Amino acid sequence: MIRSHAIVWLDHQHAQLLHFDDEKVLSSKKLKAHSLETRQHGSKVRNEHGFFGEVCDALGGIPEVLAVGSHTAMADFEHYARKHRAHIAKHIAAYQVVDHPSENQLVALGRQFFLKYDRMGGKTSQV
């Protein structure tokens, strides 16, 4: 049985979502944050929440996702997903800190992670 998974790389301004199976990339989507900086207190946080919301919307319907990116982006995205999009957060198998990989490196990282993850019955404790 061929299973499909997804990996999303993100920082605070950009995201790249790759949905893949054992053989090929099924879809690729790039998202960009919309900057609406104002003097109003908290506008930067609201912009970040809007962007993270768009990323979560793009992850809808994907049963298992690996989220990767910078340390601060992963911490902020994980906090947002758990607090505001719990139905999406439960589908995120793990959060990993990585630099700016190429698309091919992302797919390889995702396949490697999910090979171990699937073998372990969906547990990430030793992945």
Side-chain angles (χ1 to χ4, degrees):
M1 176 173 114
I2 294 178
R3 297 182 60 164
S4 67
H5 300 95
I7 186 167
V8 62
W9 175 89
L10 67 137
D11 60 19
H12 290 94
Q13 293 85 30
H14 303 92
Q16 181 174 14
L17 171 65
L18 298 166
H19 191 195
F20 60 91
D21 64 17
D22 294 337
E23 299 172 1
K24 63 183 181 248
V25 173
L26 303 171
S27 66
S28 176
K29 185 172 190 171
K30 292 185 180 185
L31 301 167
K32 186 175 178 182
H34 305 285
S35 181
L36 299 171
E37 292 295 322
T38 67
R39 291 180 166 227
Q40 186 174 358
H41 178 71
S43 67
K44 189 172 185 177
V45 171
R46 279 196 297 281
N47 287 340
E48 183 177 280
H49 281 204
F51 175 61
F52 286 162
E54 288 180 39
V55 173
C56 286
D57 290 343
L59 298 176
I62 301 172
E64 296 172 332
V65 178
L66 172 61
V68 299
S70 71
H71 184 275
T72 55
M74 287 299 91
D76 292 345
F77 181 66
E78 181 176 10
H79 176 77
Y80 173 84
R82 289 180 190 267
K83 184 173 181 179
H84 300 285
R85 301 289 183 98
H87 63 287
I88 297 295
K90 69 182 180 182
H91 294 283
I92 299 175
Y95 298 86
Q96 290 185 0
V97 175
V98 300
D99 202 3
H100 291 274
S102 69
E103 186 171 306
N104 289 337
Q105 290 171 323
L106 275 175
V107 173
L109 178 65
R111 285 188 176 131
Q112 180 182 25
F113 171 84
F114 282 112
L115 180 65
K116 292 177 186 177
Y117 181 82
D118 291 343
R119 284 184 185 161
M120 294 177 60
K123 294 183 172 82
T124 59
S125 61
Q126 296 176 355
V127 175

